[in-house]
Amino acid sequence: MADRSFLDWPFLDDHHRRLAAELEEWAARELHTIDHDDVDGTCRELVRRLATGGWLTHATARPDADPAHPLDVRALCLIRETLARHSGLADFAFAMQGLGSGAISLFGDAALREEYLPAVRAGRKIAAFALSEPEAGSDVAALATSAVPDGDHYVLNGIKTWISNGGIADFYTVFARTGEAPGARGLSAFVVDAATPGLAISERIRVIAPHPLATITFNNCRVPRSHMLGASGAGFKVAMATLDVFRATVGAAALGFARRALDETLRHTMQRKLFGAPLADLQMTQAKIADMALAIDASALLVYRAAWTRDCVASRVTREAAMAKLHATEAAQQVIDQAVQLFGGRGVTHGEKVEELYREIRALRIYEGASEVQRLVIARQTLG
Ligand code: COS
């Protein structure tokens, strides 16, 4: 059982502690029968179960939320950490309901919030975040998808790729160039229903840890003006502010994967005999376990510091969120790699949890801002 002492840290309130305990119980009961063969079907089923369990209420702004703090970022992190420890796909399903609707929670007007957020909470609509393009992933200001005003609509043309939930989403938060100014100042954000004529899934993408992912094309896709999020030309800031919230939660998911790897390692090294004694008796094993435990605590401190800062101190946590994501994802990769090493041949065998974690963790160092982007962000914030 993963270390729970972090729940007593002052970053968290009692309602977070109750939430963590309830989710732990729910996850142990509901997530052990996840079928990974039909990934789309499994994700739909997970969204349904997460909705029934009431967990998706935390993925969106509550109707009565303080406008300055529409999301409880500590709750988001606790939920992602816990789900990731039990099932990578359950974490994915929860996270995408949050990220895909995040810009609506943060920037949507009353009508958009009312139209989409209750449906996301109830699992009736699956959400997705469509930012990356074939020629613009890290450099968001270079994105080329265009949105041209035409009466009461904008007409979208372009390609988005590596879009999580692509193919199963009911709507996409899409960032496109509206051209008010060059670069970052000429983008806007839109909510686009998947059934809108002109939106097509042009390719499904298969990845090392399977989850729904696709390339989407927009061909004269007409989106009502009322579906714009925030002001026209403010799309870059909408994207960045949304990522500021969700990057800390990516760190939390990485933390969940790392804790699971440590749990698996402790069980294995205490049972497995080597040279007539448990593997855990070897000092070389103990050095690895010490490094793993230390990396996990350092990640947890950064993740919950970022979440607490967003909830209680500052509306902008660019630096804290970047540090949390960078450290937690890179550290989790190391922790899981050590776990695989200690499992030996079993560690690279399909069906072993550590083998699955080894594949699951890799994308987290890339999506929602690669580690190199996080370093750039931290350096800029530090240089002032
Ligand atoms: N919150 C609010 N505003 C922000 C912001 C944030 N976190 N970050 C930047 N801005 C504002 C800046 O203040 C600046 O505003 P002004 O024009 O009013 O001065 C504007 O946005 C442009 O910022 P900046 O000059 O830093 O933009 P860059 O083009 O240099 O981009 C990086 C910076 C690389 C950091 C950005 O493009 C990024 O985060 N890229 C990674 C994107 C990503 O996560 N991709 C994965 C897709 S999602 S799976």
Side-chain angles (χ1 to χ4, degrees), residues 84 257 260-261 336 353-361:
F257 290 148
R260 179 63 182 266
I336 294 166
K353 189 67 190 178
V354 293
E355 182 269 346
E356 182 189 312
L357 291 168
Y358 190 77
R359 289 181 290 105
E360 292 271 12
I361 188 60

Side-chain angles (χ1 to χ4, degrees), residues 108-147:
D109 60 18
L112 283 175
R113 288 157 74 106
E114 187 46 42
E115 184 179 351
Y116 288 92
L117 298 185
V120 170
R121 276 196 285 277
R124 286 196 309 276
K125 281 188 194 292
I126 293 182
F129 186 78
L131 180 65
S132 298
E133 299 185 355
E135 301 299 329
S138 293
D139 185 3
V140 174
L143 68 79
T145 294
S146 62

Side-chain angles (χ1 to χ4, degrees), residues 5 41 166 253 302 309:
S5 59
L302 286 167
T309 305

Side-chain angles (χ1 to χ4, degrees), residues 118-190:
V120 170
R121 276 196 285 277
R124 286 196 309 276
K125 281 188 194 292
I126 293 182
F129 186 78
L131 180 65
S132 298
E133 299 185 355
E135 301 299 329
S138 293
D139 185 3
V140 174
L143 68 79
T145 294
S146 62
V148 176
D150 181 22
D152 286 345
H153 287 75
Y154 277 85
V155 181
L156 271 61
N157 281 287
I159 301 174
K160 296 285 175 184
T161 193
W162 314 112
I163 306 307
S164 290
N165 271 349
I168 69 165
D170 294 292
F171 71 92
Y172 297 84
T173 298
V174 179
F175 297 85
R177 182 162 301 287
T178 34
E180 293 77 2
R185 292 180 171 189
L187 309 180
S188 301
F190 301 89

